[in-house]
Amino acid sequence: MSNNNIEPQLSDILGDPARVLTGNAIEEKYYSFTHGRERGHADALVFPESTEEVSRVLRFAYENNIHVTPRGAGTNLTGSTVPLYGGIVLDLSRMNHILEIDEETLTAVVEPGVILEDFQNEVEARGLFYPPDPGEKKASLGGNISTNAGGMRAVRYGVTRDYVRGLEVVLSDGRVTTLGSKNVKDASGLSLKNLVIGSEGTLAVITKAILRLVPKPEASRSLIAAFPDTESGISAVPEILKANLDPTALEFVERKVAERGEAFTGVSWPFHEAGSYLLMIFDGSESSIDERTDKLNGLVEKLGAIGVKALSVEEAADIWKVRGALVTSIEAVSEQAPVDVVVPINRTADFLRFVDSQSAKTGMALVAFGHAGDGNVHLCVVRGKLGEDEWKLLHDINMSAVYRDAGELGGLISGEHGIGLTKRKYFLKYADPVALSVMNGVKRSFDPKEILNRGKSYHVVKGSSDESTIGENGRLYGFRHPQDDQGLQQVQSY
């Protein structure tokens, strides 16, 4: 179907021509993503306002073999919302209503365009708490669900998946179904809900979510512990976790990285003689926090800390301001590519040593910090003054090495950002080809014509260059298999 035919038909479907844009009326941001290095194209941009409208748009796209790229707030970091194959960009930002907060079942029903920050503020005003807390507070809840977003509080509370009780979704052919419910338990068939969570818009379009809430903690307290070097700081993390101190957040920052944030914000951290810091939050009752932080003080002293400081509300705000500005401080002076990798918590120090050695080897700054409590390390791959060709080459060299090392340590290519486009070739290269085959089979079951977010994450487009990459170093992630030593054969089921 030509572009000329799409606009009037979509306008009829939505009943409002103002909610269908084509050509020059589509803003550039809809062709790209946060960092803008990959660009696609689209024949139309639509703004549905209800499940029924989403259903009608998808039924039209399915019947006419038109590709569809779902989009929320547009804050993703891996290019998941880039419309690679044209077609329709389905912007869900106007489906932004909190439909229900049920204080008896401790659940909420929301549309996908609700902004995380707005939702957290609303439930906390009622004495409730939604724990998932990724760094981008302007992200949509639908986007959080689609990437299984994590954040600093994951060490205690878990990730987005742990708070999704149910989803209303529209399949690629326009059919609407509900996966899950308000019920706490569910052993009723396959957990299709959990397949959709983290699928980056490749399986279905989320139109409503039932989210689990918990009571709001009585109090919260931040502490900062300083260590003489990287090794001692990271080594303290498993001991803190084993001591049953139950921190809400447990962040690791090297002194050299903190200095960047200090210079950018004008805020100074204590213990300038430190080589690294652990930044922690404890929440619960005041007495529980007192008990756990007293125990923490004695523990970190035994582990070689040069100091620990409980922070006032004002001090904590300043300290977390520096932590929150680490990426921004780098972007103020150079383009950077954001990367998140997750490794077993007892291998974090090994991974950071490799990152430092790789940075020294290639001359490209790889700035590391992250969620020490769950092994989720974030890297800023800094371009500096490199020209375009050299930047692309060194970026690829470093990412290949970083993901390979993470896999050899028992880690994974992403803890919370997803795969999207920017990590995709590395994921296809290092993942188990058998698992990839199963994933693509699931994709075809949900989306037989493969029109939803085509060519993203695990999705292998038949006849494309993807197929030559699969299995090159397969099974690097996860358990080894005896067949690995015999050489991996490309999976034929694609």
Side-chain angles (χ1 to χ4, degrees):
M1 173 173 291
S2 70
N3 181 29
N4 292 333
N5 292 328
I6 286 181
E7 184 173 9
Q9 294 199 54
L10 288 172
S11 295
D12 287 344
I13 287 171
L14 297 185
D16 182 1
R19 290 193 280 130
V20 180
L21 303 179
T22 60
N24 292 334
I26 301 176
E27 292 182 64
E28 182 66 26
K29 69 179 182 180
Y30 290 100
Y31 296 133
S32 191
F33 73 113
T34 306
H35 290 273
R37 280 180 289 277
E38 285 80 11
R39 187 183 187 278
H41 65 285
D43 299 310
L45 165 66
V46 300
F47 297 89
E49 295 181 352
S50 69
T51 299
E52 178 57 32
E53 288 184 350
V54 172
S55 175
R56 292 201 297 263
V57 170
L58 287 181
R59 187 180 307 120
F60 167 74
Y62 189 84
E63 291 172 351
N64 292 279
N65 298 307
I66 298 170
H67 298 294
V68 177
T69 304
R71 181 185 176 92
T75 60
N76 80 97
L77 296 173
T78 63
S80 301
T81 56
V82 177
L84 286 180
Y85 291 86
I88 299 168
V89 173
L90 188 72
D91 187 307
L92 300 162
S93 61
R94 298 191 187 185
M95 295 178 65
N96 59 358
H97 300 95
I98 300 172
L99 302 175
E100 179 187 40
I101 296 177
D102 186 339
E103 298 185 27
E104 293 186 351
T105 63
L106 291 179
T107 60
V109 180
V110 301
E111 291 182 323
V114 173
I115 300 303
L116 170 66
E117 183 177 55
D118 296 339
F119 180 63
Q120 289 176 327
N121 290 339
E122 180 66 26
V123 299
E124 287 183 35
R126 300 177 183 228
L128 300 172
F129 193 50
Y130 180 68
D133 194 41
E136 180 50 77
K137 305 301 185 287
K138 301 297 183 183
S140 69
L141 291 173
N144 285 173
I145 294 167
S146 294
T147 57
N148 190 29
M152 290 187 291
R153 296 199 289 234
V155 62
R156 180 177 191 187
Y157 289 105
V159 296
T160 298
R161 182 185 304 280
D162 301 307
Y163 294 86
V164 179
R165 287 273 174 82
L167 296 172
E168 178 188 82
V169 301
V170 182
L171 301 180
S172 64
D173 60 6
R175 289 180 296 165
V176 180
T177 187
T178 298
L179 313 174
S181 67
K182 285 186 177 182
N183 294 291
V184 175
K185 292 183 175 181
D186 182 359
S188 307
L190 297 179
S191 182
L192 300 179
K193 170 197 73 175
N194 279 306
L195 288 175
V196 173
I197 299 168
S199 65
E200 301 184 60
T202 61
L203 299 183
V205 175
I206 298 166
T207 49
K208 291 186 182 70
I210 303 170
L211 302 179
R212 169 192 167 212
L213 306 174
V214 299
K216 184 179 178 181
E218 174 187 314
S220 179
R221 189 180 307 165
S222 293
L223 294 90
I224 187 169
F227 293 83
D229 50 39
T230 298
E231 183 74 31
S232 57
I234 284 293
S235 297
V237 172
E239 301 304 317
I240 292 171
L241 296 176
K242 287 190 294 184
N244 199 30
L245 297 175
D246 205 14
T248 299
L250 178 49
E251 298 289 292
F252 171 80
V253 182
E254 291 181 288
R255 175 62 197 163
K256 63 184 180 183
V257 177
E259 287 173 349
R260 291 175 178 263
E262 287 178 329
F264 183 76
T265 62
V267 174
S268 181
W269 279 14
F271 310 114
H272 280 192
E273 69 276 24
S276 68
Y277 300 97
L278 293 180
L279 184 55
M280 291 163 278
I281 296 176
F282 292 86
D283 65 22
S285 66
E286 290 283 5
S287 60
S288 169
I289 294 174
D290 287 341
E291 181 180 344
R292 286 179 285 152
T293 55
D294 285 347
K295 187 175 179 181
L296 173 76
N297 290 336
L299 176 62
V300 296
E301 182 178 349
K302 292 178 182 178
L303 295 173
I306 60 177
V308 60
K309 179 178 174 61
L311 304 170
S312 67
V313 173
E314 294 76 15
E315 290 172 328
D318 281 344
I319 293 293
W320 287 107
K321 180 180 179 181
V322 172
R323 167 62 181 86
L326 295 180
V327 173
T328 309
S329 68
I330 293 168
E331 290 177 336
V333 297
S334 173
E335 181 181 355
Q336 63 92 25
V339 173
D340 83 307
V341 176
V342 62
V343 296
I345 56 173
N346 63 333
R347 305 307 300 273
T348 306
D350 297 325
F351 181 66
L352 290 175
R353 279 194 294 271
F354 177 81
V355 168
D356 283 344
S357 68
Q358 187 67 22
S359 179
K361 179 179 177 181
T362 62
M364 175 177 277
L366 303 174
V367 181
F369 53 93
H371 312 317
D374 54 28
N376 195 177
V377 179
H378 289 264
L379 299 176
C380 292
V381 185
V382 184
R383 176 172 179 169
K385 298 181 179 180
L386 295 175
E388 186 66 19
D389 291 342
E390 190 177 10
W391 158 239
K392 289 180 178 179
L393 176 62
L394 283 180
H395 177 271
D396 184 53
I397 289 171
N398 279 309
M399 289 305 92
S400 293
V402 162
Y403 292 135
R404 183 179 63 248
D405 184 73
E408 290 172 348
L409 292 172
L412 297 168
I413 200 166
S414 179
E416 57 188 13
H417 290 176
I419 303 299
L421 285 180
T422 60
K423 296 184 177 186
R424 187 167 174 273
K425 73 174 182 178
Y426 308 106
F427 180 70
L428 295 181
K429 178 178 181 180
Y430 291 138
D432 177 2
V434 176
L436 281 175
S437 178
V438 173
M439 291 179 196
N440 280 271
V442 171
K443 163 75 170 171
R444 289 191 292 274
S445 294
F446 273 83
D447 177 18
K449 292 187 177 181
E450 302 180 29
I451 63 171
L452 282 179
N453 228 6
R454 184 178 177 86
K456 304 291 177 55
S457 187
Y458 62 88
H459 181 220
V460 176
V461 180
K462 293 181 180 179
S464 73
S465 59
D466 295 341
E467 294 177 324
S468 64
T469 305
I470 298 165
E472 182 179 334
N473 290 290
R475 292 189 183 276
L476 183 57
Y477 299 111
F479 296 107
R480 301 295 293 178
H481 188 281
Q483 291 179 349
D484 295 345
D485 298 329
Q486 302 168 20
L488 289 164
Q489 300 294 320
Q490 181 172 317
V491 175
Q492 298 301 316
S493 59
Y494 295 113

